[in-house]
Amino acid sequence: MKRAIVCGAGGFIGGHLVKRLKSLGYWVKGIDVKYNEFEESVADEFVIGDLRDPQICEREIVKDIDEVYQLAADMGGAGYIFTGDHDAVVMHNSALCNLNVLEASRLAGVKKIFYSSSACIYPEYNQLDPNNPKCSEESAYPAAPDSEYGWEKLFSERLYLSYGRNYGMEVRVARFHNIFGPQGTWRGGREKAPAAICRKVAETEDSGAIEIWGDGLQTRSFLYIDECLDGVLRLMESNETGPFNIGSEEMISLNDFAKMVIGISGKNLSINNVKGPQGVRGRNSDNALIKKSLQWAPSLPLKIGVEKTYEWINSQVESLKLISL
């Protein structure tokens, strides 16, 4: 039985990863500053601990661990990342987590460690055309991310790769492209675009209107959580280090994404484009390298994942309505 630690197990991707690893027969320890707010963790052991504290990391990451998955980060959607109001805490908190987890893993002799980077590391100058963004792995340099979140992720990539070179650690690095699905943050200011739009549609009465930040012509690709985990595990099973993009190549504008959600809801809603943080003009995963190296690429159509996600978020909205009655 393999033994794994999931750092950030109380979060969206981490919570799903714990379930996937358990289904594969792993013994799993989860570490986070909080429990998952939507469901009880199935981890064999769940530690409430702050990974910014090196003593927590050294106490919990011990010698009998085969794999560490480092997903913990200070993060959120455009309303959190792109306003500039949280830059210092985002960089400070996430960098400390990575420094501590990586060093503790080295000291414990962990066999293999996964780091979740982000598409936010890609240069803004390659993402000015919403219809033709360039996000192939080698295009990360010369570096010019559009947010401090992206700069921290890029620094941490280099940190993990350095440990791999200098200490012989088996490191795996993936750049996630907008992962979404049920059990993700959907309100409160840290939610990402898919969840935010699903929430707006679910909360709005028929014949109403929802707001989309910017002109809505900015493009993105979104990857459903199950396929994200497929990519992570394929990378972990390989002899490749990365970084690799883990994302979908099904690019869509935010206005069209909103129209998709509205169609799924069955409501008759209009879209109001308003001023707000929006990040780069275009972003789409380039899967050429991961297809070549790992013979893997996602296959689930975006709409199917959105249907599942909208159903879950709509149920959350309806449950809150019942509570407030």
Side-chain angles (χ1 to χ4, degrees):
M1 179 184 290
K2 286 187 177 180
R3 296 171 65 84
I5 290 177
V6 176
C7 301
F12 164 51
I13 300 176
H16 280 275
L17 178 58
V18 169
K19 288 189 289 186
R20 177 67 70 88
L21 292 175
K22 285 297 298 175
S23 75
L24 295 173
Y26 279 68
W27 181 94
V28 182
K29 176 192 288 188
I31 308 175
D32 209 322
V33 292
K34 63 178 180 64
Y35 293 111
N36 188 290
E37 62 182 299
F38 302 117
E39 61 181 9
E40 185 175 351
S41 177
V42 297
D44 296 278
E45 182 181 347
F46 197 106
V47 175
I48 295 295
D50 192 335
L51 296 170
R52 294 173 299 180
D53 182 346
Q55 293 183 334
I56 295 290
C57 295
E58 291 174 14
R59 185 187 74 200
E60 300 299 337
I61 300 176
V62 292
K63 293 186 182 299
D64 63 346
I65 297 300
D66 298 293
E67 298 172 358
V68 168
Y69 295 81
Q70 166 39 5
L71 307 170
D74 191 339
M75 63 176 299
Y80 185 74
I81 294 298
F82 295 120
T83 63
D85 296 335
H86 312 105
D87 289 347
V89 294
V90 163
M91 297 189 80
H92 175 269
N93 291 341
S94 295
L96 278 181
C97 289
N98 286 312
L99 287 162
N100 292 338
V101 168
L102 190 50
E103 178 65 3
S105 297
R106 181 187 73 83
L107 293 172
V110 170
K111 298 179 180 65
K112 193 177 293 185
I113 185 165
F114 171 83
Y115 173 59
S116 61
S117 185
S118 168
C120 290
I121 65 95
Y122 286 112
E124 185 175 18
Y125 59 75
N126 280 338
Q127 301 173 89
L128 300 176
D129 181 353
N131 298 310
N132 191 34
K134 181 176 176 62
C135 295
S136 53
E137 284 85 350
E138 84 286 347
S139 71
Y141 297 92
D146 70 331
S147 65
E148 301 302 341
Y149 172 80
W151 278 108
E152 188 281 322
K153 284 291 188 183
L154 195 59
F155 159 76
S156 292
E157 281 190 10
R158 300 186 70 90
L159 176 69
Y160 279 79
L161 296 173
S162 296
Y163 266 65
R165 291 193 305 273
N166 293 165
Y167 300 122
M169 296 179 69
E170 280 200 64
V171 170
R172 303 289 183 266
V173 179
R175 294 168 179 166
F176 288 164
H177 286 250
N178 291 303
I179 314 304
F180 76 102
Q183 280 88 49
T185 299
W186 59 275
R187 60 175 183 156
R190 293 202 185 204
E191 66 275 17
K192 294 190 174 182
I197 293 172
C198 285
R199 186 201 74 242
K200 290 176 182 181
V201 171
E203 290 178 338
T204 304
E205 297 296 330
D206 199 33
S207 300
I210 65 167
E211 292 184 344
I212 298 295
W213 289 342
D215 60 12
L217 301 180
Q218 64 269 35
T219 55
R220 296 292 186 272
S221 63
F222 303 105
L223 183 68
Y224 190 65
I225 180 63
D226 290 351
E227 296 209 292
C228 170
L229 300 182
D230 292 342
V232 169
L233 295 176
R234 178 68 68 91
L235 175 56
M236 287 293 278
E237 291 163 2
S238 77
N239 293 319
E240 301 286 345
T241 296
F244 288 104
N245 287 328
I246 292 185
S248 167
E249 291 182 319
E250 187 178 347
M251 191 169 70
I252 189 171
S253 73
L254 288 198
N255 277 350
D256 285 343
F257 185 87
K259 291 173 184 176
M260 177 186 290
V261 178
I262 291 168
I264 290 168
S265 75
K267 296 179 181 180
N268 179 26
L269 304 179
S270 58
I271 296 171
N272 291 335
N273 292 108
V274 300
K275 185 178 180 180
Q278 54 184 300
V280 294
R281 289 298 291 162
R283 178 171 289 154
N284 189 30
S285 184
D286 183 326
N287 292 339
L289 183 62
I290 198 168
K291 287 177 183 176
K292 178 181 178 181
S293 301
L294 302 183
Q295 293 75 54
W296 179 87
S299 59
L300 187 74
L302 174 63
K303 187 176 181 182
I304 294 177
V306 176
E307 287 173 343
K308 295 178 181 181
T309 305
Y310 178 78
E311 180 182 7
W312 180 79
I313 290 178
N314 187 55
S315 71
Q316 296 292 305
V317 170
E318 293 301 316
S319 295
L320 286 180
K321 287 180 182 178
L322 291 174
I323 292 171
S324 63
L325 291 177

